[in-house]
């Protein structure tokens, strides 16, 4: 890899950090960039290196959000802890389950998310006071920590977006508060998957650490932008990113990696 390619990869990492901090989906920017920069790189190693960069940016964004946004730690903390375990299980299963199996399902889910958000202009722009029962809290923890956590470990694209939509719909939060909670859980999913990839020596540590620094810079800018611009801005970015993710997944059928 020459200096020009390295510079482009680091620029991509910064952009991915920004996108991830606002609405999630940075992996669909970083992973293809890694595959292009390192021809012949195994998908598992690309995922592992991406997780190293992503956990730095996500944790940094989570810290910024936690200082200024309202977070229900009764949900965020157990969901993040559960996500560490189940993302690790997903990462362990990643090598035995072809990612092609998840592409159509993920595309359908993203299209449903897009249709839902577009059809309800007020969704996520205004928080509503909703009593959260113990049963609902447990259900949200299981959805975020178990199902979405496992998904992030085994495949991953759109994890942050799915978390944001889940928290917005089930907790009646606005997009900024949902994004703040999602970052904490997403840090857990990244940690669980990274541990497994690291144990199997599927991480490019030097490259990943360099990307992590740029990912943090992008994440800090993204979190501050979302906090300053508000839920309406996050909604617009969400729609654009979901369209981009659907397009990227569709392109894999034409140009498979």
């Amino acid at each position: 890899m020459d200096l020009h390619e390295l510079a482009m990869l680091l620029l991509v990492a910064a952009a991915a950090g920004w996108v991830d901090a606002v609405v999630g989906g940075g992996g669909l920017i970083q992973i293809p960039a890694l595959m292009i920069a390192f021809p012949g790189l195994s998908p598992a190693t690309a995922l592992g290196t991406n997780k190293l960069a992503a956990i730095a940016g996500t944790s940094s964004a989570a810290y910024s959000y936690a200082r200024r946004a309202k977070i229900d730690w009764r949900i965020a903390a157990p969901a993040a802890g559960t996500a560490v375990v189940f993302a690790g299980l997903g990462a362990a299963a990643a090598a035995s389950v072809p990612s092609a199996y998840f592409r159509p399902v993920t595309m359908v889910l993203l299209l449903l998310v897009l249709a839902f958000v577009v059809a309800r202009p007020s969704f996520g722009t205004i928080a509503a006071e909703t009593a959260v029962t113990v049963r609902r809290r447990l259900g949200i923890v299981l959805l975020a920590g178990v199902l979405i956590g496992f998904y992030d470990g085994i495949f991953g694209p759109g994890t942050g977006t799915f978390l944001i939509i889940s928290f917005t719909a089930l907790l009646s939060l606005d997009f900024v508060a949902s994004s703040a909670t999602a970052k904490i859980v997403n840090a857990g999913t990244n940690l669980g998957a990274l541990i497994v990839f690291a144990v199997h020596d599927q991480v490019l540590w030097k490259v990943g650490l360099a990307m992590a620094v740029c990912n943090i810079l992008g994440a800090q800018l993204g979190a501050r932008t979302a906090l300053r611009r508000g839920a309406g801005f996050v909604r617009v970015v969400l729609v654009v990113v979901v369209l981009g993710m659907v397009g990227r997944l569709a392109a894999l059928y034409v140009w498979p990696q």
Side-chain angles (χ1 to χ4, degrees), residues 158-254:
T159 294
T161 304
F162 293 142
L163 286 169
I164 290 171
I165 293 298
S166 298
F167 293 139
T168 303
L170 298 176
L171 297 175
S172 299
L173 301 175
D174 63 36
F175 280 134
V176 173
S178 293
S179 187
T181 309
K183 293 301 156 289
I184 294 167
V185 180
N186 209 174
T189 67
N190 286 332
L191 176 61
L194 176 60
I195 290 171
V196 173
F197 287 125
V199 167
H200 290 87
D201 196 24
Q202 294 170 326
V203 180
L204 299 177
W205 289 99
K206 292 182 180 179
V207 173
L209 289 172
M211 292 176 68
V213 174
C214 295
N215 205 270
I216 289 173
L217 295 175
Q220 281 295 304
L221 180 60
R224 293 177 185 182
T225 303
L227 287 165
R228 184 175 67 252
R229 300 289 296 274
F233 171 77
V234 176
R235 176 188 172 86
V236 173
V237 176
L238 177 67
V239 171
V240 172
V241 169
V242 169
L243 283 171
M245 286 192 288
V246 170
R248 173 57 189 159
L249 289 170
L252 290 175
Y253 287 104
V254 181

Side-chain angles (χ1 to χ4, degrees), residues 3-16:
L3 289 177
H4 175 72
E5 291 175 326
L6 177 60
M8 289 301 297
L9 188 60
L10 296 180
L11 182 62
V12 166

